[in-house]
Amino acid sequence: MNVCFILRSNSWKYAGGQRTLAANVCRVLGGTIVASTEIKPKWRRHPELQLEAEQQASVQLGVPVVFAETDDEVVAACIDADAVFCIGFRAKKWPTFEDCLSRIKCKKVAFILATSETMNAGAFLRSRIWDAYWSERPMIREYLRAKGKVDASKPYTVGCNVYQPSCPLTAEQLVEHKEPRLVVSNSRFASMKRSAELLGVFDHLSRDPTLRLEAWGWKPNEGGFSFKELVKIIPERFDAWNRIGKHLAQGEYSADQVPGILSPARFAIDLTYMRGDGSRWGDGGLQYCQAEAIDWGTIPVCGSEFHLGAEWSSIMHLVPALDPKLPKLVYDIVTQRWDPAGHADMIERGREYIEKNLSFERFNASIAELVGSLEG
């Protein structure tokens, strides 16, 4: 089967979750990632530079990548596709997407990563061009169908997140490298990541000079709509940012930096939560950054609003992310007595969860089910 997976993106320096998902689909079915992106002027003058950038992206993701700027270029890139898949985007970034994709006559599938898309990609979800839907977690499907955000008469397949462990060290070896007072965050700055609440946590933790804190994925010169809405226009938060946030922000990071970031850290905080979304134990909904932390022996500290069920406490520490006492609750966790054996046990249990629930076998089965629904 020849598929084209369309992504809207202006930056291809880092392989984020959307690109990883697209690459996984293309590896399973065979196909190409079509990056609907703004072509750089120098690429117009020197087409060989665009070809070089496409080749670099293809090597990075392990599947062919082509860049397309205009609707005509998107259609041309997908002309031979048996199916077109697409991840949500704000309609103002691509106001002609329905007309464009309607010109492609094959089946079309909407890939949904989070219920936050009901706000950020409402026109994308409501569009009637989709023949089927796919999402990573059952709770996303339940919420979107209940709210009438998707066409309930069309097939909707649930899959899982995928994570391939890469750490060669045993849990015991990792524990030997740990700095018990090092606490990091390894997720980007965004409302769905509860970054504003995490800023408050970091501000509180910074009062303890024995702790070492790092916020990877945050940029010292953070900006954009999310930052303005969550921090800049709220004086006390902006004060906290200037006092501590921008000094802890380590910027974006690439895959080769992950071992150095996570292997010495004891805890990694990620407070991801979206309204109507969450993960039940065993449904494969562990966030990628959380799986990456577990792989490298760092125990996640996560929000109990997202991770539903007492079983999660066997592989992570849960805190109520919207509780006013959140900073103190996190402080109590990260300053608890260092227990190397207990830490190693949590690593082992987390790795077992990843191997069982975030596997390619489970993901591939969901894609096979999706393709079957298109052919049925």
Side-chain angles (χ1 to χ4, degrees):
M1 188 174 193
N2 178 36
V3 304
C4 285
F5 204 119
I6 300 175
L7 297 178
R8 291 288 292 183
S9 177
N10 286 327
S11 172
W12 281 83
K13 186 176 181 181
Y14 300 99
Q18 291 190 357
R19 270 154 262 180
T20 300
L21 174 59
N24 288 341
V25 172
C26 291
R27 278 194 286 267
V28 173
L29 297 177
T32 302
I33 295 177
V34 179
S36 177
T37 187
E38 187 175 318
I39 301 301
K40 298 178 180 180
K42 66 179 180 181
W43 291 354
R44 294 298 187 200
R45 297 191 301 270
H46 305 284
E48 69 277 8
L49 296 180
Q50 178 176 337
L51 179 60
E52 181 181 338
E54 290 173 343
Q55 291 172 339
Q56 290 174 347
S58 300
V59 170
Q60 180 187 43
L61 293 174
V63 298
V65 177
V66 298
F67 296 154
E69 182 174 34
T70 67
D71 286 1
D72 287 344
E73 289 172 347
V74 171
V75 172
C78 300
I79 196 68
D80 295 323
D82 298 311
V84 167
F85 300 154
C86 193
I87 285 182
F89 47 81
R90 293 179 185 272
K92 67 179 181 180
K93 290 188 175 181
W94 192 6
T96 58
F97 82 95
E98 280 189 306
D99 290 338
C100 175
L101 298 186
S102 294
R103 292 162 56 191
I104 304 170
K105 300 309 179 183
C106 61
K107 299 284 188 177
K108 303 171 188 70
V109 181
F111 267 65
I112 303 167
L113 293 183
T115 56
S116 61
E117 288 172 327
T118 61
M119 296 177 288
N120 298 333
F124 168 87
L125 281 179
R126 291 191 300 270
S127 174
R128 296 302 174 182
I129 66 174
W130 308 119
D131 296 290
Y133 309 91
W134 181 98
S135 66
E136 289 180 338
R137 295 179 290 282
M139 291 181 69
I140 297 174
R141 177 173 64 183
E142 294 164 11
Y143 176 80
L144 295 181
R145 280 182 167 174
K147 293 292 185 180
K149 303 288 186 180
V150 297
D151 187 342
S153 69
K154 294 180 178 179
Y156 193 136
T157 302
V158 174
C160 66
N161 203 347
V162 174
Y163 182 81
Q164 287 184 292
S166 60
C167 179
L169 303 177
T170 66
E172 290 73 18
Q173 289 171 327
L174 282 166
V175 166
E176 292 177 2
H177 292 89
K178 291 299 169 187
E179 297 179 29
R181 309 294 281 186
L182 174 57
V183 181
V184 305
S185 173
N186 59 331
S187 60
R188 70 186 186 280
F189 196 101
S191 58
M192 63 178 286
K193 294 295 181 182
R194 300 286 180 187
S195 298
E197 287 78 7
L198 182 51
L199 174 60
V201 169
F202 276 139
D203 190 32
H204 184 82
L205 298 183
S206 68
R207 300 169 193 173
D208 185 338
T210 69
L211 292 175
R212 187 156 74 88
L213 310 172
E214 296 175 349
W216 291 90
W218 292 11
K219 298 181 284 292
N221 58 342
E222 193 71 61
F225 179 76
S226 289
F227 181 78
K228 180 179 179 181
E229 181 184 50
L230 297 174
V231 173
K232 196 168 185 179
I233 64 175
I234 302 175
E236 59 269 26
R237 287 181 178 171
F238 197 43
D239 288 345
W241 174 261
N242 287 321
R243 182 169 56 252
I244 188 67
K246 67 181 181 181
H247 302 294
L248 301 182
Q250 303 295 310
E252 295 176 314
Y253 60 96
S254 54
D256 62 327
Q257 293 176 272
V258 168
I261 294 169
L262 292 174
S263 60
R266 182 179 175 188
F267 297 104
I269 309 175
D270 178 62
L271 302 177
T272 295
Y273 175 72
M274 294 76 70
R275 184 179 61 184
D277 195 357
S279 183
R280 302 186 186 98
W281 178 261
D283 68 6
L286 193 66
Q287 298 289 293
Y288 192 92
C289 64
Q290 297 161 7
E292 200 166 50
I294 290 170
D295 184 22
W296 289 93
T298 307
I299 306 304
V301 179
C302 301
S304 57
E305 295 88 351
F306 186 86
H307 294 90
L308 305 182
E311 300 95 333
W312 289 109
S313 296
S314 65
I315 66 172
M316 62 175 60
H317 294 283
L318 294 178
V319 290
L322 301 181
D323 191 316
K325 298 178 182 177
L326 173 67
K328 182 181 184 305
L329 295 174
V330 174
Y331 179 78
D332 290 343
I333 289 171
V334 302
T335 57
Q336 63 187 235
R337 182 181 63 84
W338 172 233
D339 177 12
H343 191 113
D345 286 343
M346 290 190 79
I347 296 172
E348 292 285 6
R349 290 193 295 267
R351 286 177 166 181
E352 289 171 2
Y353 181 90
I354 292 169
E355 182 178 357
K356 179 180 179 180
N357 297 292
L358 277 69
S359 68
F360 265 113
E361 290 77 12
R362 183 171 185 168
F363 176 80
N364 294 355
S366 76
I367 300 303
E369 179 185 338
L370 173 62
V371 171
S373 74
L374 295 176
E375 296 173 342

